[in-house]
Amino acid sequence: DIEFVLEDLDVSRFALLPGHAYIRNITDIDIRAPADGEVQTAIGSLTRIYAQGVQLELRDVSFWFKQKTSAVAPSEFSGLLALTLPPQGVDIDVVVRAIPSSPDGVKTRAQRGRFLEVQRVQVKLSSDMTVDVRQTNHPLLAPLLKPVVSARVREGIESSLAERIRDTIEGADALAWDIGVRADVFEDAGLKRGAALLAGAWSELGRMRRQKGGLFS
C-alpha cells in the first residue's frame, strides 16, 4: 500500500557512549571424560549487549513517500528531512552466540566460515524524536503529512541500523575466521601460535589490498 524511500542517510552524530549499558555473558563448558577414551572439552557462550540512550542525529536526508491507495491528494510527498533524538536516544539489543567447539560445532564453524551466530539485533528509536521536513513538493501540506512520514522514518531507520549492526558483526567474524585459517597454515609451517596469528593478519591485509578497489586505494 505504501512506497517509502530514504536516501543519503548521512549520520551527522552517533554517540556510542550510551546512557545505560547492560552486558550479560553465559559460558557453557561441556566436558566428556570416558573411562577408555580421550577427554573432550567443548566451550560455547551466549552474549547479550543492551544499550540505551545511544545518540543519533541525521541531516538532509532525502525522502520520497507514496500512498498507493490514498483517496485524498496528494498521494506523493518528497523533500528533505532532519532527525534529532532526545536524551533517550536509541535502544540497541544484540544477542550473539559463539558456536560451541564440540565436534559438531567445529563442523558448523567450517561450513559457515564463522565463529559466531547472530541471534538477535533489535533497534528502537525514541518515540519523542523530532523530525523537521523542508524543501517539500507540498510545503503547505507538510505539517499534515509529517506525522505519517515520521512513522515511516522510524521504521526505516530502525531496520537500516539493525541491518548495519548485523553486517558489521558478521563481517568482523568472517575476517577473524579467515585470519585463523591463514594462521593455521603458518603454524603448520613451524611458527608459534602468536607469530602465526600475526602472519595470518598480515596475509589477510594483503588479500584485501589485492581485491577489486583495494583496501588502501
Side-chain angles (χ1 to χ4, degrees), residues 164-204:
R164 185 68 59 85
I165 291 171
R166 179 182 292 272
D167 288 345
T168 300
I169 294 173
E170 291 180 345
D173 186 26
L175 182 66
W177 173 266
D178 201 29
I179 290 174
V181 171
R182 291 169 184 269
D184 289 342
V185 175
F186 286 107
E187 196 170 10
D188 290 341
L191 290 180
K192 294 184 178 180
R193 188 59 182 174
L197 283 171
L198 184 61
W202 190 254
S203 174
E204 179 67 13

Side-chain angles (χ1 to χ4, degrees), residues 26 28 45-48 93-100 112 116-122 166 169-170:
I26 301 173
D28 296 319
S45 67
L46 186 74
T47 302
R48 181 191 181 194
D93 191 5
V94 178
V95 176
V96 177
R97 183 179 75 94
I99 301 173
R112 298 184 180 181
L116 305 175
E117 177 188 356
V118 182
Q119 294 190 336
R120 181 174 72 231
V121 178
Q122 292 180 342
R166 179 182 292 272
I169 294 173
E170 291 180 345

Side-chain angles (χ1 to χ4, degrees), residues 14-206:
F14 188 76
L16 291 177
L17 276 179
H20 172 249
Y22 171 82
I23 301 175
R24 182 183 187 187
N25 186 75
I26 301 173
T27 301
D28 296 319
I29 303 177
D30 184 10
I31 301 174
R32 298 187 180 186
D36 55 351
E38 183 181 357
V39 176
Q40 295 182 346
T41 303
I43 301 176
S45 67
L46 186 74
T47 302
R48 181 191 181 194
I49 301 174
Y50 181 55
Q52 291 179 300
V54 177
Q55 296 300 302
L56 174 68
E57 183 178 349
L58 301 172
R59 297 177 185 173
D60 295 335
V61 177
S62 58
F63 71 91
W64 180 79
F65 176 90
K66 181 178 180 179
Q67 177 74 47
K68 295 181 180 179
T69 58
S70 176
V72 180
S75 61
E76 293 189 19
F77 186 41
S78 61
L80 296 178
L81 62 84
L83 180 145
T84 304
L85 291 174
Q88 293 85 351
V90 186
D91 293 351
I92 299 175
D93 191 5
V94 178
V95 176
V96 177
R97 183 179 75 94
I99 301 173
S101 57
S102 62
D104 290 340
V106 170
K107 292 180 182 178
T108 301
R109 288 180 178 184
Q111 289 172 353
R112 298 184 180 181
R114 301 284 194 278
F115 294 106
L116 305 175
E117 177 188 356
V118 182
Q119 294 190 336
R120 181 174 72 231
V121 178
Q122 292 180 342
V123 175
K124 184 177 181 182
L125 270 67
S126 170
S127 58
D128 296 330
M129 70 179 191
T130 301
V131 176
D132 295 321
V133 178
R134 58 188 179 85
Q135 297 185 22
T136 72
N137 58 336
H138 298 289
L140 296 178
L141 296 176
L144 298 177
L145 297 172
K146 188 168 74 171
V148 179
V149 172
S150 298
R152 299 298 169 183
V153 167
R154 178 185 288 109
E155 294 174 3
I157 293 177
E158 287 176 347
S159 175
S160 178
L161 283 176
E163 183 178 352
R164 185 68 59 85
I165 291 171
R166 179 182 292 272
D167 288 345
T168 300
I169 294 173
E170 291 180 345
D173 186 26
L175 182 66
W177 173 266
D178 201 29
I179 290 174
V181 171
R182 291 169 184 269
D184 289 342
V185 175
F186 286 107
E187 196 170 10
D188 290 341
L191 290 180
K192 294 184 178 180
R193 188 59 182 174
L197 283 171
L198 184 61
W202 190 254
S203 174
E204 179 67 13
L205 284 174

